[in-house]
Amino acid sequence: MKVRQNLYIDSDLSDALDGLVIRRGGNKSRIVNEALRDWLARRASKQVDDLLKVRLDRISREVAAGRRDMEVVLEALALFVRYQLTVTAPLPEADAAALATGNQRFERFIAQLGRQIAGGKRTLDTQNVTEAQP
């Protein structure tokens, strides 16, 4: 359904519209409809962009915080491993019992790690500290 509108436009815009009608072979109503539709679509997309910008900024801050936390955890792990390897004396190869105990501890560690990850638990949470100890 079409609605008749009486609008006033500047004379230079009217001249440009007349020129478009001659070049494109259409009519003024179709050209104005297309132009208005495009303008409204751009305006609506700008509103959506403005809404998304706020959310994207928040997500970017959260990703940056997660990256920083990951770097802290990796640095702490690296320092712990370096310290542990520095202060722990190597086991003699003939000490099979000590090697077996080390392997058992490692297997328990891997199993506990799997349980923690699967359960969504964090060792650093105060409520999980007692549960994380073997």
Side-chain angles (χ1 to χ4, degrees):
M1 179 172 114
K2 295 189 178 191
V3 178
R4 181 177 174 88
Q5 297 287 325
N6 293 323
L7 304 171
Y8 294 97
I9 60 174
D10 296 333
S11 61
D12 58 333
L13 288 176
S14 179
D15 294 341
L17 184 58
D18 289 337
L20 279 175
V21 169
I22 292 169
R23 282 194 305 267
R24 291 182 63 186
N27 63 39
K28 289 181 183 182
S29 293
R30 185 177 315 131
I31 292 172
V32 171
N33 272 319
E34 289 174 7
L36 186 56
R37 187 177 291 115
D38 290 344
W39 184 82
L40 289 173
R42 280 194 310 273
R43 185 165 183 209
S45 69
K46 183 178 178 340
Q47 291 172 348
V48 169
D49 289 346
D50 290 344
L51 290 173
L52 289 178
K53 183 180 182 288
V54 173
R55 290 180 182 171
L56 289 174
D57 288 345
R58 182 180 45 101
I59 291 170
S60 294
R61 285 191 304 274
E62 289 175 0
V63 167
R67 181 177 292 133
R68 184 189 66 240
D69 291 348
M70 184 66 75
E71 289 172 358
V72 168
V73 168
L74 290 174
E75 185 63 23
L77 178 62
L79 286 172
F80 173 76
V81 168
R82 177 180 284 169
Y83 174 79
Q84 192 66 23
L85 293 174
T86 302
V87 299
T88 304
L91 295 173
E93 299 222 8
D95 193 355
L99 290 173
T101 300
N103 285 334
Q104 287 174 350
R105 288 179 179 168
F106 180 73
E107 292 299 323
R108 282 197 309 258
F109 168 76
I110 294 297
Q112 179 66 25
L113 178 64
R115 284 191 301 274
Q116 292 288 109
I117 290 172
K121 296 178 185 175
R122 293 176 43 143
T123 301
L124 296 179
D125 290 343
T126 56
Q127 62 194 9
N128 293 332
V129 170
T130 56
E131 297 173 12
Q133 296 173 352

